[in-house]
Amino acid sequence: MKNDITAPMAKMIPKELEIHGDKRTDNYYWLNDRDNPDVLTYLTAENDYTKRLMQHTETFQKTLFEEMKGRIKEDDTTVPYKLNGYWYSTRYETGKDYPVFVRKKESLEAPEEILFDCNVMAREHAYFNLGAIAISPDNTLAAFSTDIVSRRQYTIQIKNLRTGEIYADKILNTTGSATWANDNKTLFYARKDEQTLRSHKIFKHQLNAPETEDVEVYHEKDETFNTFVYKSKSKKFIVIGSSSTLTTEYRFLDADTPDAEFNLFQKRIRELDYSISHYGDHFYIIANSDGATNFKLLKTKLNATEKEHWEEVLPHRDDVLIEDIEIFKSHLVINERENGLNRLRIRSWNGKEDYYLPFNSETYTVFIGNNPDFESDSLRYGFNSLTSPSAIIDYNLKTKKSEVKKEQIVLGGTFKKENYVSERIWATARDGTRIPMSLVYKKGMKRNGKNPLLQYGYGSYGSTIDPSFSSIRLSLLDRGFIYVIAHIRGGEYLGRQWYENGKLLKKRNTFTDFIDCSRHLIEQSYTSKEHLYAYGGSAGGLLMGAVINMNPELYHGVLAAVPFVDVVTTMLDDSIPLTTGEYDEWGDPNRPVYYNYMKSYSPYDNVEAKAYPNLLVTAGLHDSQVQYWEPAKWVAKLRALKTDANRLLLHTDMDSGHSGASGRFESLKEVALEYAFLLDLEGIGN
């Protein structure tokens, strides 16, 4: 760190916050006012400081950017899929940031029809995202949504695919998705609350009618729930769903009669989590009913959908999590997870076949791909591993033969999968629980404690971070880094109970698991404290904040991307987007037991006068998930209290939100900054 560069110091304006007889003083509460010129001045000052501190790496950042970009095939096309007589695909063109959505009628040899060229649509915008495209049943219209702020508030419009005309219909402040009824003129969509951004209402829109005439068909009044709408794969039903962290509820309507009333499928029951799919005379249900923690598969007749009529198809198993199903006319495909690994189970409707597709690895990712055609005999799925690029595979359910439709190409001429090694190891947590980790590194690595190692974690919402391939990550691996995914509690890697044991009043398990994994990696000489780095974003940024409060001495540096760090204040403010829907994850701090528990680990509330690792924090000014002021306040408080001379950098993207820059390659510049930060700390400059 150069001594002549002075770090910005945010002014302190004490604000007293009191609840349950407990007082907290927040010196940086004022930063949550984005209309205050002083806020933008401070964020700009932090950006300038980061730029100056990292100025000596700018050439290296450009090298990293070009290196990562150079591995990506610029003129690329997705594998086409067939839907209602058309083949749909997305392609990218050399030198352009955004996708082009196209289709061909009946045959892949037919002329290409451009649906949307996002490069043209994005020209006038610093940020652009095409949210979703819904094609009408007669193939003539496309409902599409756009976000030009990065706040995930989408505007829905309708395009005539025959003439290219974009109709006057314009629906603001939606989730982005739209669903056509079978009459080709009725559109269902979900609208968001303007302030909280909770999707709380479902509306019905008539083609060419003003938005003011749209009919509200459902209002989700429970502030802990979000609502959404979709069409069943069979195209028979329009389905409205309501979901919270623990509970779901559905309504359905014949897609041929959009003006009829929706039927309640099963009234919500606290902690009854279920999902529905239609096939023939039945609905198929994945549910955790009757103690089925890892879910079971059931079915029920179309005219008797209440829980008492549900019949078991696949029983609950303590060691197998049912994640999803895909229904075809001849087969049912079940995506299961056992011992952390995904499996695809194939069952014929006639009961003659029941088997698994074979996968031989402990560090792979497999997922059901895009299979919109109910009549198809082909299952499309994706496969990759920490050392193998992504492949899209079609498996013929009749012939049982597989065809690799596409494998990710890694350009540059230097990548060979056999030059890398992956493995899965297990650490023992302080309570005796075994925690799995997936590792990848360059062949020839020696366990001598000198290897730089980047440990990644998330551990919230039951979200499982599977070990997947990244061509971008090669820029670290090729420079000697080991990359580790810690499958800590709070995700569902080892089943639903793995999630239950990492949330609410067991949330601390997530943090201590990560720390215990770090200690194991050091004890086993994969790395040392001098070379260990940690990385997490969003709720994983909360993880970063918690672990460096608890054990800052273990890490030489930390990357915290859009971190959720001001847990108590955010969860007490139900006007902030998404807060009320989070109560089942973190607890409701209006209740003393949850307030006291989350205050005990909230990163912002537990910053102390002590030494912290080198730290790079990122934020998005328009972030709808984690408001920009959380990382800004955290950095301000750390800067005022920390006793070390380590780097503390905040970089706020003034044009984007939670997911970062919208351009295909623009986001690589953010990665280049992060990688340069890590590599510079290791003394690696090329």
Side-chain angles (χ1 to χ4, degrees), residues 69 72-77 91-100 119 411 664-665:
K69 181 182 176 184
I72 299 171
K73 191 174 187 294
E74 290 198 42
D75 56 337
D76 205 4
T77 304
R91 60 177 171 80
Y92 289 89
E93 299 175 353
T94 301
K96 295 184 178 180
D97 264 331
Y98 294 93
V100 181
N119 298 287
L411 299 178
R664 178 168 52 143
F665 300 120

Side-chain angles (χ1 to χ4, degrees), residues 285-301:
I285 308 146
I286 300 174
N288 64 349
S289 53
D290 306 314
T293 306
N294 276 337
F295 296 88
K296 56 184 175 181
L297 183 64
L298 309 108
K299 69 177 183 179
T300 194
K301 292 181 179 179

Side-chain angles (χ1 to χ4, degrees), residues 71 386-387 414-423 439-447 451-452 473-483 526:
R71 297 192 192 102
L386 286 173
T387 58
T414 61
F415 172 74
K416 293 181 180 179
K417 63 180 72 175
E418 57 269 22
N419 290 340
Y420 303 87
V421 177
S422 67
E423 60 177 314
L439 287 70
V440 62
Y441 46 84
K442 196 85 178 282
K443 185 177 288 185
M445 182 273 296
K446 296 179 181 179
R447 283 166 54 180
N451 304 295
R473 191 187 299 137
L474 297 174
S475 290
L476 287 181
L477 301 183
D478 290 347
R479 290 175 171 85
F481 264 78
I482 301 171
Y483 183 80
Y526 284 96

Side-chain angles (χ1 to χ4, degrees), residues 265-266 275-277 279 281-290 292 295-316 322 325 332 347 349:
F265 191 91
Q266 162 59 46
S275 60
I276 61 175
S277 302
Y279 175 73
D281 296 329
H282 291 84
F283 283 108
Y284 282 76
I285 308 146
I286 300 174
N288 64 349
S289 53
D290 306 314
F295 296 88
K296 56 184 175 181
L297 183 64
L298 309 108
K299 69 177 183 179
T300 194
K301 292 181 179 179
L302 302 183
N303 61 355
T305 60
E306 294 80 9
K307 182 174 175 288
E308 58 264 28
H309 302 294
W310 297 358
E311 305 170 36
E312 191 173 274
V313 177
L314 287 176
H316 173 258
I322 296 179
I325 62 172
L332 170 67
R347 283 169 56 106
W349 291 113

